[in-house]
Amino acid sequence: MDMRKMQACTFSLVSHPITNNEFSNKKQKNNLQSDLENSKLYAIAQARYPRIDFEMRNGDVEITISNGEFKSVGYIDILYLFEVNYPEYIDAILSGSQVLNFKTYSDPNCYFVIGIKDKSTGNMIREGMIEISAWQLLFHKSRGVRHIYGFDNYKDFFKLFIHYVGKTSRSTYERLSKGHHARLNILSSEEPINREDLLSEELLILAFEVDAINIVKNPEVYSLDEIKIDDVVDLVERSLISSLMPKYNDVKYKSHGEQFKKNSTLDSCCLTLNDNIQLFTDEAKICGKYDSSGLSDSDFIIIDESGISLTNI
């Protein structure tokens, strides 16, 4: 009985795009280690740096994100921010016995200084600062977080120029924090897109996780059996490099599809990007589309014994 398998792969961001400055900040080490723990595929990208400004309007904070080319306006639920960071006080606030107090400022991220006052005495009970970057806001908007409103043109900011694609057997954080030749080479060779920005602000670490299934076709019963597989990071890395041809990847894997000629069961692979972002180089681009189920109908890459092809929808 002849059974053939197609490998269906998808890759998606595990975190917001991380600026080189944020990645190098030792204060962020624990957060980054945790956020990037499940990422073994990464890209070094570049985009205009988005900055935050805000204005108080009828008790709400109107947030404006701009990068010198695009501008987007939206809001964030302050009570939700407080509930996430200080859940032990939320019942008292909702009952009215304690009052939520906050101030905001930006430099260049958005900082919310959130406090609780006793309603009867006016005394401050608790105060803390919450920092949110423009990339974090845009990323959460792209994932449909319901406590972030507006920013309808957020996709304009997610056009990311890819300098390098890589993989690791550890985690993306461990690989890039130990010294990375391509990252250092890019920092010393490239120029900012926006002259008002620093290159270290524009350079981004994109950390991805990969998921895949093998779809097995049995011609006798005309059914599809799905089999989970563990690690297809190498396949996805080679496919992205072959399609996008990033400048700082020395090996381009032009004969990538030849592996399927020797495979008795696996005859092809379909790769999609499960995020509302665009990855591009001077050679090609791939536009993603986010779906919470993981079944994205984005642009796709097909690899089979005839070679590799990128289809833009």
Side-chain angles (χ1 to χ4, degrees):
M1 178 178 64
D2 181 29
M3 291 202 312
R4 302 289 284 171
K5 286 192 289 187
M6 181 186 78
Q7 195 171 73
C9 302
T10 184
F11 66 109
S12 56
L13 290 168
V14 300
S15 172
H16 64 280
I18 302 166
T19 67
N20 188 76
N21 283 353
E22 181 182 357
F23 194 87
S24 302
N25 187 343
K26 293 182 179 180
K27 294 180 180 179
Q28 297 292 336
K29 179 179 178 180
N30 291 337
N31 289 336
L32 291 174
Q33 280 183 317
S34 175
D35 291 345
L36 309 189
E37 181 180 3
N38 295 322
S39 170
K40 294 185 177 182
L41 176 75
Y42 60 89
I44 301 175
Q46 187 172 355
R48 288 173 173 266
Y49 182 60
R51 299 180 183 276
I52 285 182
D53 198 6
F54 61 87
E55 188 173 342
M56 295 297 300
R57 290 186 181 275
N58 300 321
D60 289 327
V61 181
E62 181 183 89
I63 301 172
T64 300
I65 298 175
S66 59
N67 66 2
E69 183 178 17
F70 301 110
K71 180 186 292 187
S72 192
V73 178
Y75 302 84
I76 189 166
D77 188 329
I78 300 298
L79 184 61
Y80 167 73
L81 271 184
F82 191 86
E83 183 178 3
V84 169
N85 289 274
Y86 306 107
E88 64 270 24
Y89 295 102
I90 197 66
D91 289 339
I93 292 173
L94 293 176
S95 69
S97 63
Q98 296 175 359
V99 179
L100 184 64
N101 182 63
F102 70 91
K103 298 177 287 185
T104 61
Y105 66 95
S106 57
D107 185 29
N109 296 338
C110 189
Y111 294 86
F112 294 89
V113 181
I114 300 181
I116 302 177
K117 288 184 177 181
D118 185 277
K119 187 175 181 180
S120 59
T121 66
N123 294 332
M124 186 69 72
I125 300 172
R126 177 72 183 268
E127 190 172 47
M129 186 172 69
I130 302 170
E131 177 184 2
I132 303 176
S133 72
W135 280 122
Q136 286 174 310
L137 280 171
L138 293 167
F139 175 69
H140 290 310
K141 173 64 180 180
S142 77
R143 291 294 179 87
V145 173
R146 62 188 179 90
H147 301 285
I148 297 175
Y149 314 99
F151 305 116
D152 295 331
N153 63 326
Y154 70 89
K155 291 182 182 179
D156 291 337
F157 296 83
F158 280 109
K159 297 175 181 179
L160 311 173
F161 187 87
I162 302 300
H163 289 297
Y164 181 86
V165 175
K167 64 179 175 63
T168 176
S169 60
R170 295 168 288 175
S171 74
T172 290
Y173 180 81
E174 294 299 324
R175 176 66 185 92
L176 294 177
S177 63
K178 302 297 183 182
H180 191 278
H181 176 73
R183 182 182 169 207
L184 295 175
N185 197 10
I186 293 165
L187 277 167
S188 63
S189 303
E190 295 299 321
E191 297 289 338
I193 301 169
N194 186 345
R195 293 183 179 181
E196 296 181 1
D197 294 337
L198 299 174
L199 180 62
S200 57
E201 294 174 326
E202 291 190 348
L203 281 188
L204 300 170
I205 305 299
L206 308 180
F208 298 102
E209 62 181 348
V210 176
D211 194 15
I213 54 175
N214 281 354
I215 304 176
V216 183
K217 185 172 183 180
N218 184 333
E220 290 190 357
V221 295
Y222 301 100
S223 65
L224 295 180
D225 300 317
E226 296 184 346
I227 303 171
K228 280 286 183 180
I229 57 176
D230 294 327
D231 191 3
V232 290
V233 173
D234 183 68
L235 179 67
V236 175
E237 182 214 27
R238 288 170 175 253
S239 301
L240 289 174
I241 294 171
S242 298
S243 300
L244 296 176
M245 307 289 280
K247 176 181 175 181
Y248 289 88
N249 283 99
D250 296 328
V251 180
K252 306 299 184 184
Y253 303 111
K254 293 182 180 180
S255 59
H256 184 35
E258 290 185 355
Q259 72 183 72
F260 294 100
K261 294 180 180 179
K262 302 176 182 179
N263 197 316
S264 60
T265 56
L266 187 63
D267 60 3
S268 63
C269 173
C270 180
L271 173 63
T272 55
L273 170 57
N274 189 31
D275 264 304
N276 294 318
I277 63 178
Q278 180 188 119
L279 310 179
F280 74 100
T281 63
D282 292 332
E283 303 294 329
K285 69 177 180 180
I286 178 169
C287 297
K289 186 175 181 180
Y290 179 71
D291 189 302
S292 59
S293 70
L295 301 175
S296 174
D297 59 350
S298 73
D299 293 353
F300 59 90
I301 299 170
I302 293 289
I303 311 102
D304 57 25
E305 64 179 27
S306 65
I308 184 167
S309 61
L310 168 60
T311 299
N312 297 119
I313 298 177

